[in-house]
C-alpha cells in the first residue's frame, strides 16, 4: 500500500506538501478531499476539517505540512531539504515561517479580491467533483464562504490593501532578482524555506488566474521557480551553496520578514502570555484576540495566532542548539537583517503541537 495525500488543487498547504513529496520521491497517491473524505477520514482522525492530511502506508495520520515533511525526512533519510549549516538552516526555517504564516495575507487578498468568481468554481470542483460547472459554482459559493470570511480576520481591508500590494510587489521584485541567479533559495536544492514560500506563491498567487498574470508580468523568474518546485524533474537532486553562504539577494526578503512579521509575532507572544495567565488549563483557541500589524507604514489588525509562534519556535530551538561560534555567525546574520529582537522571543510561552493539538507547556 502507498501513502495517501488528502488534499485539493486550490489548497495552499496541499501545494506545499505535494511539492515536497514529489521532490522526495515518495510513493503516494493524492485523493481529493471531498466532503465525504472530511466526514469519514479527516474529522474523525484530526478533530477538525483541515487539509492536507497524509495517511501513511501503515495507517498513521499526519496533519500539518511541517509534521508531514519531518515525518518523511526521518523515515526516508537520503538528501534532505534541511541545510546542515547554521546560517542557511536558520534562514530556511525563518522563511518557512514567513511563507506559511505571513504570505497567506497577499495570497488571500489576491485570491478573494481578484479571483472570487473563479475560485467558487474551484471550491465546487472539490466539494462536488461529479457535478456540472453550474452546480459546482453554486456548491462552491457555499463552501467558499468560510474562507472568504477569513479575509478581514487576516487584516485585509480597504485601508491595508494598497500597502499589502506594495509589499507583495516589492517582495516579488526581490525574489525575481534572487531566482535570476539561483534555482532555489540556497542553491540548486530546494530547502524547507522554499517549501514555506511555495504554499502561497503556488496555489493562490500562481495558479489563481488573475494572480498568476500579475506574477508572470512582474516576476517571471518567480513563476519559473514555482514551476521548478511543483513540476519536479529531478527528485532528490541538487546541493546547497558552499560555505554556509546566504546570497545577498535573500537579505531584503529576510529584512521584510523582520520588518513586518516580527513585530506582529512579538505582540502575539505577549497576548498569549496574558491569555494563559487568565485562562489556565484551557485548550488554546486558534486566536487569542486581534493584534496590530504594520505593512509599508499602514497599520491594521489581524487575528493573533499562537500557531505562528510554534513555527517560529522551530527556528529559535535550532538557534539554541548551536555551539557558540555558530551562534555568533547567526547573530551577524540577524544584525544584517534587522532581526536581533527575534531572540527575545525565546522567552515566549513554550508550545507543543502533538496529536493535532497546540498546547502551551
Ligand atoms: N499549518 C497547517 C495549515 C493547514 C490549513 O490551514 N489548511 C487550510 C487549507 S489550505 C484549511 O484546511 N483551512 C481550514 C481551517 O483550518 O479551518 C499546515 O501546514 O498544514
Amino acid at each position: 500500500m502507498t501513502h495517501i495525500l488528502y488534499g485539493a488543487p486550490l489548497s495552499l498547504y496541499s501545494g506545499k506538501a505535494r511539492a515536497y513529496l514529489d521532490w522526495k520521491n515518495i510513493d503516494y497517491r493524492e485523493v481529493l478531499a471531498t466532503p465525504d473524505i472530511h466526514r469519514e477520514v479527516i474529522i474523525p482522525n484530526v478533530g477538525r476539517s483541515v487539509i492536507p492530511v497524509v495517511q501513511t502506508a501503515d495507517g498513521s495520520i499526519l496533519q500539518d505540512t511541517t509534521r508531514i515533511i519531518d515525518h518523511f525526512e526521518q523515515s526516508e533519510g537520503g538528501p534532505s531539504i534541511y541545510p546542515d549549516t547554521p546560517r542557511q538552516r536558520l534562514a530556511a526555517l525563518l522563511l518557512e515561517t514567513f511563507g506559511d504564516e505571513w504570505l497567506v495575507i497577499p495570497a488571500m487578498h489576491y485570491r478573494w479580491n481578484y479571483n472570487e468568481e473563479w475560485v467558487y468554481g474551484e471550491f465546487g470542483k472539490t466539494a462536488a467533483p461529479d457535478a456540472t460547472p453550474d452546480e459546482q459554482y453554486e456548491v462552491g459559493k457555499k463552501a467558499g464562504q468560510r474562507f472568504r470570511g477569513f479575509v478581514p480576520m487576516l487584516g485585509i481591508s480597504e485601508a491595508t490593501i494598497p500597502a499589502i500590494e506594495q509589499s507583495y510587489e516589492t517582495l516579488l521584485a526581490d525574489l525575481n532578482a534572487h531566482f535570476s541567479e539561483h534555482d532555489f533559495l540556497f542553491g540548486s536544492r530546494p530547502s524547507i524555506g522554499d517549501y514555506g514560500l511555495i504554499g502561497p506563491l503556488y496555489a493562490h498567487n500562481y495558479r489563481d488566474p488573475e494572480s498568476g498574470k500579475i506574477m508572470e508580468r512582474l516576476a517571471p523568474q518567480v513563476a519559473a521557480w514555482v514551476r521548478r518546485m511543483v513540476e519536479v524533474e529531478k527528485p532528490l537532486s541538487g546541493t546547497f551553496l558552499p560555505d554556509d553562504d546566504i546570497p545577498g539577494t535573500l537579505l531584503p526578503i529576510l529584512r521584510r520578514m523582520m520588518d513586518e512579521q516580527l513585530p506582529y509575532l512579538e505582540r502575539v507572544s505577549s497576548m498569549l502570555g496574558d491569555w494563559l495567565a487568565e485562562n489556565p488549563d484551557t485548550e488554546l483557541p486558534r486566536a487569542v484576540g486581534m493584534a496590530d500589524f504594520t505593512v509599508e507604514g499602514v497599520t491594521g489588525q489581524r487575528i493573533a495566532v499562537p500557531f505562528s509562534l510554534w513555527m517560529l519556535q522551530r527556528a529559535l530551538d535550532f538557534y539554541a542548539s548551536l555551539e557558540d561560534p555558530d551562534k555568533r555567525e547567526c547573530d551577524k546574520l540577524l544584525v544584517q537583517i534587522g532581526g536581533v529582537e527575534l531572540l527575545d522571543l525565546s522567552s515566549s510561552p513554550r508550545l507543543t503541537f502533538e496529536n493535532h493539538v497546540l498546547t502551551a507547556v
Side-chain angles (χ1 to χ4, degrees):
M1 198 179 130
T2 56
H3 310 291
I4 301 171
L5 171 68
Y6 296 105
L10 82 170
S11 144
L12 187 151
Y13 298 97
S14 298
K16 178 186 174 193
R18 186 187 306 113
Y20 167 77
L21 294 172
D22 288 345
W23 185 83
K24 198 74 182 177
N25 217 11
I26 302 296
D27 180 16
Y28 76 99
R29 69 190 166 92
E30 183 163 347
V31 171
L32 191 64
T34 59
D36 285 352
I37 292 288
H38 278 277
R39 203 168 37 247
E40 287 158 23
V41 180
I42 297 178
I43 297 174
N45 284 290
V46 180
R48 65 191 183 102
S49 251
V50 63
I51 51 173
V53 167
V54 164
Q55 184 171 359
T56 63
D58 69 7
S60 314
I61 294 283
L62 306 170
Q63 201 292 307
D64 197 86
T65 48
T66 301
R67 282 271 182 261
I68 293 168
I69 289 173
D70 286 358
H71 170 86
F72 288 108
E73 283 295 291
Q74 280 190 0
S75 67
E76 301 298 305
S80 172
I81 60 155
Y82 285 97
D84 277 333
T85 52
R87 285 157 26 113
Q88 287 181 354
R89 185 151 175 161
L90 178 67
L93 286 165
L94 290 175
L95 289 172
E96 187 195 17
T97 305
F98 183 56
D100 267 37
E101 299 292 310
W102 198 249
L103 296 186
V104 70
I105 302 173
M108 291 289 277
H109 160 57
Y110 286 97
R111 166 161 289 181
W112 287 102
N113 292 318
Y114 288 81
N115 299 273
E116 178 169 357
E117 293 301 307
W118 177 83
V119 89
Y120 286 138
E122 290 297 293
F123 274 100
K125 284 182 192 167
T126 310
D130 301 322
T132 64
D134 284 351
E135 290 164 347
Q136 287 180 337
Y137 175 84
E138 290 307 323
V139 173
K141 201 157 184 178
K142 286 206 191 90
Q145 285 312 318
R146 179 156 153 259
F147 289 84
R148 179 130 202 40
F150 290 148
V151 170
M153 289 190 247
L154 293 171
I156 301 160
S157 67
E158 288 296 313
T160 58
I161 284 173
I164 290 169
E165 295 199 349
Q166 193 188 331
S167 169
Y168 175 66
E169 290 188 11
T170 316
L171 173 73
L172 277 187
D174 291 340
L175 286 169
N176 200 62
H178 178 80
F179 292 128
S180 306
E181 291 176 25
H182 302 278
D183 279 352
F184 299 103
L185 291 175
F186 302 97
S188 56
R189 181 187 297 186
S191 70
I192 186 72
D194 293 84
Y195 289 102
L197 298 186
I198 198 62
L201 292 179
Y202 165 65
H204 292 52
N205 288 353
Y206 174 89
R207 186 176 176 276
D208 290 356
E210 294 307 315
S211 315
K213 283 183 205 158
I214 294 170
M215 184 187 285
E216 295 281 4
R217 178 165 52 82
L218 297 180
Q221 295 300 331
V222 180
W225 163 82
V226 170
R227 286 188 284 275
R228 281 195 290 284
M229 290 291 290
V230 303
E231 296 161 14
V232 178
E233 283 180 3
K234 290 192 211 129
L236 300 169
S237 70
T239 52
F240 295 122
L241 293 165
D243 304 324
D244 202 16
D245 184 32
I246 304 283
T249 43
L250 286 186
L251 298 179
I253 296 154
L254 288 159
R255 270 190 211 114
R256 178 167 303 278
M257 175 184 179
M258 297 308 141
D259 283 352
E260 295 181 4
Q261 193 180 12
L262 175 57
Y264 162 82
L265 290 170
E266 288 167 348
R267 274 181 211 111
V268 179
S269 167
S270 131
M271 289 171 71
L272 175 61
D274 293 346
W275 190 92
L276 290 169
E278 286 162 21
N279 301 275
D281 307 320
T282 315
E283 197 174 307
L284 266 183
R286 195 156 174 183
V288 288
M290 298 294 284
D292 279 0
F293 75 107
T294 301
V295 171
E296 301 290 346
V298 177
T299 298
Q301 288 230 312
R302 68 194 306 272
I303 44 172
V305 184
F307 187 82
S308 298
L309 292 173
W310 180 75
M311 291 294 296
L312 183 72
Q313 184 177 285
R314 288 161 39 80
L316 292 172
D317 284 355
F318 171 68
Y319 175 88
S321 75
L322 294 170
E323 302 290 335
D324 258 6
D326 287 344
K327 271 195 180 135
R328 298 294 80 85
E329 288 305 311
C330 288
D331 291 344
K332 284 188 220 155
L333 174 65
L334 291 176
V335 169
Q336 274 184 304
I337 61 173
V340 176
E341 287 85 10
L342 189 77
L343 300 179
D344 298 340
L345 284 172
S346 47
S347 57
S348 207
R350 185 139 195 100
L351 297 167
T352 59
F353 184 59
E354 297 299 334
N355 300 321
H356 320 296
V357 179
L358 187 70
T359 315
V361 287

